[in-house]
Amino acid sequence: MTVSGVLALGLGIAAGTVPVPYVVESPGPAFNTLGEAQGSPVISVTGHEAYPAKGNLDLTTVYVEGGPNGPISILGAFAAWLDRSKAVYPEELIYPSGTTKEQSAEEGAVAMATSQENAVASALTELKIPFGQQLQAAGLSDGSPSAGKIEKGDVFESINGKPVTSLAVVQAELAAGKGAPATLVMDRAGQPVTETVTPMDNGAGRYILGVMLQYRFTFPFDVKISLDKVVGPSAGMMFSLGIIDTLTPGDLTGGKHVAGTGTISPDGVVGPIGGIGQKMEGARAGGATLFLAPAANCNEVVGHIPQGLQVVKVENLAQARHAVEVAGSGHDTSGLPGCSSN
């Protein structure tokens, strides 16, 4: 009986340590974009007047266990299920099959770098500070109709005679053409190239060139964002607000403690992110009383707001800035839009 008991105990312990294909997300620390990290300002500006700002515009983070970061055990997953501050997801919902730790880290770093550039662009757009912007081919999708015609690194100059100033110009022209061939003029290593591409239907009624595009910016001054060990695109909106506060006199927050999350596009559109529940928990634990959430995440916000935290939904940078200004001016924030279950 003693031997059987020891064996049963051993088997139970072993079963509890067996890795399972789940990912656990838990609240991470918040970082003030108006403050310092590792002894250096998170946001610093060279070549333009900057204004020290008080208060907090916190970006929020999430700790991720499992997947390429290392397996979690049955006991670890079960404990997370019982913890309301954590979330458990099947691994395939978070990471594509076969993703390595190195690939995950690289993709996260690239997304962070892109979000920082987009944050500068959106902040300057909001402040009506002009800058250069070009659209560049970053690669082709499988089965692309642009194969053999558009190459990685090509800079779009015009489409059907219209100057390409943003992605919206390309999308609008393809939509108007309804599948008709589009004439593109591009800069390829300093030489003009003209190609005609017949776009394809992506299956949802939208016509595409099958090209992955990225922005290439020329800013009139340098904005440096220094924040180690934080990856991904979800800090974009808060970087934008921090840059706006740094470039304008006075304090946007009025000394208030504001936090938030959301991706940002160069034209100021705020996009959804993952781990919103954990980010709200982390924001409140860090002292925030107002939280800016992407409107597209509202379904995940309802029913999960920590006590003492007001959540304001935003769709773009202008709305986010307005919400912070209302709070910073000392006015009643109850009229700001929140998330509902409708």
Side-chain angles (χ1 to χ4, degrees), residues 179-217:
T183 300
L184 293 151
V185 177
M186 300 165 290
D187 180 296
R188 180 175 296 163
Q191 298 297 319
V193 175
T194 301
E195 293 286 356
T196 299
V197 179
T198 301
M200 67 179 185
D201 190 320
N202 70 345
R206 189 164 66 90
Y207 290 96
I208 61 173
L209 296 172
V211 180
M212 292 172 279
L213 297 169
Q214 63 184 13
Y215 282 104
R216 193 171 71 176
F217 303 108

